[in-house]
Amino acid sequence: MLIQDLWYKNAVVYCVNVERFVDANGDGIGDFEGLMRRLDYLAGLGVTCLWILPFYPSPRRDDGYDVADYYGVDPRYGTAGDFVELMHQAREHGMRVIVDLVINHTSIQHPWFRDARANPKSKYRDWYVWSKKRPRGWNKGMVFPPVQTSTWSYDPVARHYYFHRFFDFQPDLDTASPEVRTEIKRIMGYWLELGVSGFRVDAVPFVISTKGPDVKPRHDFGFLREMREFLQWRQGDAVLFAEANVPPNADLDYFGDRDDRMHMMFNFVVNQNVFYALASGDTRPLVRALERTRQHPMTAQWGHFLRNNDELDLGRLTDAQRQLVFETFAPDKKAQLYGRGIRRRLAPMLDGDRRRMELAYSLMFTLPGTPVIRYGDEIGMGDNLALPDRQAFRTPMQWSAEPHGGFSAAKRTVLPVIDDEVFGYRRVNAADQRRDPDSFLNWIERIVRMRKEVPEIGWGDWQVLGTGSPHVLAIRYEWRGNAVVAVHNVDAKPHTIRPGAKLVNLLSDDHSDGHKITIEGYGYRWYRVGGLGETLSGERA
Ligand code: NOJ
Ligand code: CA
């Protein structure tokens, strides 16, 4: 079951929503053709793995996380032929592709559910979770309060209540059913045959939860092993990348202590503590989060990110910490969501302050794991709080100063492109930043390149070094006899640290002979320990 190639440990992942990226045929909706035309841009950025958000036929009441057909492409974005063409072109550009696997629930419009509700004898009836009477916990356990108000809804056609962990248009599949499990593997097998390198698995803790009106929820980790086995047998180098926002003591249950469950997980705990560090200037809780999520299985890897396609979830901070992050980055209640998160992009949270944006990304790119960038963040896009819920930060990509930011030639676009004074497409767009060597886009390109040249971060062992300052985080990574140190000062004021070894700066000329380093407010440094030549001699060792 051991994966044959640990490519994902030194990958640069880019998360893209086809619908919001580029519209090639001018109907106002992004499409596969448009994405293909931008592969050069992504390759130039240094992306090695595309993660494509759901593009399956869907009523899209939850941006495609309500799937109506697992074996298709929504005609608004193109055809299955376009998907295969994208796979081919991505490979030509040296990019792998992973896709979302959304199998906790289907859309209420999925033919399985339609048949299940209409016909009690349907074989699909047992694929969902029903109750004749309204179950006791019907108004508990919602993921999207207060927008979502229950987890059991009455279906007048079936004359039963059905269970939905998320919105009422997303009925849960009974993932304990052997038939459902077989179908899930079919779906995985299908996309693997079309060339994907794995899946971002949606809502994993809920997928493996036992479900039913009288069931005390229990996690069946065996199913993760089943998925891993199937995947790895079919394709030796494919990965499962879990969305599982769980406490650190549950990590190993998801990775599997014998390299037999998920290959990768998003590190939500570290993510929240990065934002706490940026808000408070104190890196100590972040260090604790890193230590508590240290990973042991050989093939396991964390995915690190700053912002993702959902609200910035702060649910794992203490109340006081969360309050501080809210006050710092989203004082306006309108910018808060579901009582636990922030519905903003990174750049506006940091007031577009270039120093702090660089600090945040430099820190993210040096966290022990694999970096995941979200489309638009590489140019510092903003958000539009006039849009409902999570749409605020899901606006179309800003390509140029042309109408609709060059996203589309249509009169109306699927969602308005941001057009304000500060973060609107006239001021923030890829074309202008491409021309400007000092732009954020070109800085991101350089830091991506540097991250790839420092595989110690993705592969190696790491250790937090004492810096004598709570504001300064220093991590040393070691792999194959080579060592790198990254230093980040999350405070506005300069601080001095003593590294005790000769350090060669990888980003600028100020090296250190081992005495002291003064690091300016919001400063960051990447050093190679010893001389640069040591890389080569070390490799032979
Ligand atoms: C997690 C996804 O990231 C989110 O966007 C979605 O709404 C839920 N899962 C339900 O599928
Ligand atoms: Ca289109």
Side-chain angles (χ1 to χ4, degrees):
M1 259 228 280
L2 225 49
I3 184 164
Q4 289 165 1
D5 179 351
L6 302 182
W7 60 271
Y8 52 96
K9 292 219 170 188
N10 204 30
V12 176
V13 183
Y14 188 91
C15 166
V16 64
N17 180 348
V18 177
E19 188 185 81
R20 313 279 162 95
F21 204 52
V22 197
D23 168 26
N25 67 354
D27 64 356
I29 304 170
D31 42 47
F32 276 104
E33 182 65 39
L35 174 55
M36 280 187 260
R37 292 191 199 167
R38 289 296 189 272
L39 287 178
D40 289 316
Y41 166 84
L42 295 173
L45 198 58
V47 173
T48 64
C49 178
L50 274 185
W51 155 29
I52 310 184
L53 295 176
F55 53 82
Y56 315 104
S58 157
R60 293 196 82 83
R61 293 172 68 188
D62 183 15
D63 276 328
Y65 284 95
D66 45 336
V67 178
D69 175 7
Y70 289 99
Y71 301 101
V73 170
D74 193 310
R76 282 171 286 194
Y77 314 141
T79 64
D82 293 328
F83 181 84
V84 168
E85 184 61 20
L86 170 82
M87 294 303 301
H88 169 73
Q89 291 195 20
R91 191 168 60 238
E92 293 289 294
H93 282 84
M95 259 180 251
R96 293 173 178 266
V97 174
I98 64 175
V99 295
D100 249 275
L101 184 66
V102 191
I103 35 87
N104 177 66
H105 45 267
T106 69
S107 159
I108 209 154
Q109 297 299 345
H110 196 293
W112 301 337
F113 190 72
R114 293 166 72 127
D115 200 50
R117 61 192 292 219
N119 175 6
K121 298 233 162 60
S122 159
K123 80 161 192 170
Y124 298 114
R125 187 78 162 202
D126 289 344
W127 287 28
Y128 294 89
V129 187
W130 305 97
S131 174
K132 185 131 192 62
K133 289 205 300 255
R134 188 165 81 182
R136 230 179 296 139
W138 67 279
N139 57 357
K140 301 226 160 62
M142 283 79 71
V143 177
F144 301 127
V147 193
Q148 177 195 0
T149 50
S150 69
T151 49
W152 287 91
S153 290
Y154 187 68
D155 178 41
V157 181
R159 299 222 232 130
H160 273 71
Y161 290 84
Y162 64 94
F163 176 65
H164 52 89
R165 172 61 66 191
F166 296 91
F167 294 115
D168 60 1
F169 53 82
Q170 291 166 315
D172 269 48
L173 283 163
D174 184 1
T175 39
S177 143
E179 279 184 42
V180 169
R181 290 189 176 189
T182 301
E183 188 69 27
I184 290 173
K185 289 177 216 152
R186 283 276 136 78
I187 298 166
M188 291 167 60
Y190 179 84
W191 294 102
L192 287 171
E193 276 318 302
L194 290 187
V196 304
S197 289
F199 302 92
R200 180 267 192 187
V201 192
D202 188 59
V204 173
F206 302 123
V207 171
I208 60 171
S209 184
T210 49
K211 310 170 187 187
D214 307 311
V215 172
K216 203 164 167 264
R218 194 178 52 77
H219 287 138
D220 176 7
F221 293 103
F223 185 39
L224 298 184
R225 187 187 160 102
E226 225 177 295
M227 288 172 76
R228 168 86 170 239
E229 266 173 3
F230 176 84
L231 176 97
Q232 221 76 97
W233 283 336
R234 281 287 163 98
Q235 196 172 307
D237 62 354
V239 296
L240 294 168
F241 195 162
E243 183 214 19
N245 185 345
V246 294
N249 60 11
D251 295 341
L252 263 189
D253 293 336
Y254 287 82
F255 282 126
D257 55 10
R258 283 182 223 146
D259 291 289
D260 56 351
R261 296 176 190 164
M262 302 285 109
H263 304 78
M264 298 189 72
M265 283 174 51
F266 289 99
N267 197 324
F268 285 96
V269 177
V270 163
N271 174 260
Q272 310 187 8
N273 279 284
V274 165
F275 280 90
Y276 178 72
L278 293 172
S280 66
D282 183 357
T283 64
R284 287 169 300 183
L286 173 58
V287 170
R288 278 195 294 276
L290 283 165
E291 293 291 0
R292 289 171 68 208
T293 55
R294 209 176 248 291
Q295 266 335 302
H296 302 292
M298 197 178 70
T299 62
Q301 177 80 333
W302 286 114
H304 288 294
F305 58 100
L306 285 171
R307 289 291 294 108
N308 64 13
N309 200 46
D310 291 310
E311 76 285 358
L312 166 60
D313 187 340
L314 303 170
R316 300 206 176 275
L317 298 179
T318 65
D319 291 347
Q321 289 173 332
R322 187 178 323 107
Q323 221 30 58
L324 182 78
V325 180
F326 274 145
E327 277 160 27
T328 314
F329 296 134
D332 183 351
K333 273 256 179 302
K334 258 202 345 249
Q336 302 176 9
L337 196 61
Y338 310 137
R340 60 165 183 251
I342 297 180
R343 56 184 201 113
R344 306 191 73 187
R345 286 246 191 195
L346 181 78
M349 279 195 268
L350 301 179
D351 296 323
D353 177 350
R354 177 69 181 264
R355 290 172 313 160
R356 284 191 292 162
M357 284 163 65
E358 287 186 18
L359 170 74
Y361 274 96
S362 171
L363 179 57
M364 192 271 272
F365 276 105
T366 53
L367 292 172
T370 295
V372 183
I373 314 168
R374 176 163 182 265
Y375 83 94
D377 281 354
E378 75 273 27
I379 54 170
M381 267 173 58
D383 42 55
N384 176 358
L385 292 178
L387 294 171
D389 299 336
R390 292 170 292 171
Q391 298 306 328
F393 50 87
R394 293 179 176 177
T395 61
M397 177 72 183
Q398 297 169 198
W399 292 105
S400 69
E402 288 163 293
H404 300 305
F407 161 69
S408 170
K411 270 215 183 68
R412 254 180 82 99
T413 55
V414 61
L415 203 69
V417 180
I418 291 182
D419 190 9
D420 63 36
E421 297 285 292
V422 187
F423 292 101
Y425 64 85
R426 284 168 250 250
R427 290 207 46 199
V428 176
N429 68 65
D432 288 353
Q433 292 196 25
R434 205 74 204 81
R435 284 190 282 265
D436 172 6
D438 294 326
S439 68
F440 192 59
L441 176 62
N442 281 313
W443 180 86
I444 286 274
E445 196 177 308
R446 289 194 292 275
I447 209 81
V448 165
R449 175 180 181 163
M450 188 52 75
R451 169 62 184 75
K452 287 171 158 175
E453 291 178 12
V454 185
E456 287 87 346
I457 298 171
W459 284 95
D461 291 329
W462 57 272
Q463 181 195 352
V464 174
L465 305 178
T467 62
S469 164
H471 309 296
V472 184
L473 172 64
I475 306 182
R476 179 189 163 107
Y477 318 81
E478 223 170 308
W479 182 57
R480 290 193 177 167
N482 293 311
V484 170
V485 175
V487 185
H488 291 87
N489 175 11
V490 297
D491 193 28
K493 292 195 217 65
H495 292 282
T496 300
I497 61 163
R498 270 163 236 284
K502 183 178 177 215
L503 299 175
V504 177
N505 194 325
L506 295 175
L507 301 170
S508 70
D509 278 342
D510 60 329
H511 310 301
S512 160
D513 53 11
H515 297 309
K516 56 182 187 185
I517 306 171
T518 298
I519 173 160
E520 70 282 2
Y522 304 129
Y524 57 89
R525 304 274 195 284
W526 297 26
Y527 294 108
R528 202 163 266 293
V529 181
L532 283 180
E534 211 149 289
T535 325
L536 301 174
S537 56
E539 234 151 55
R540 276 198 299 274

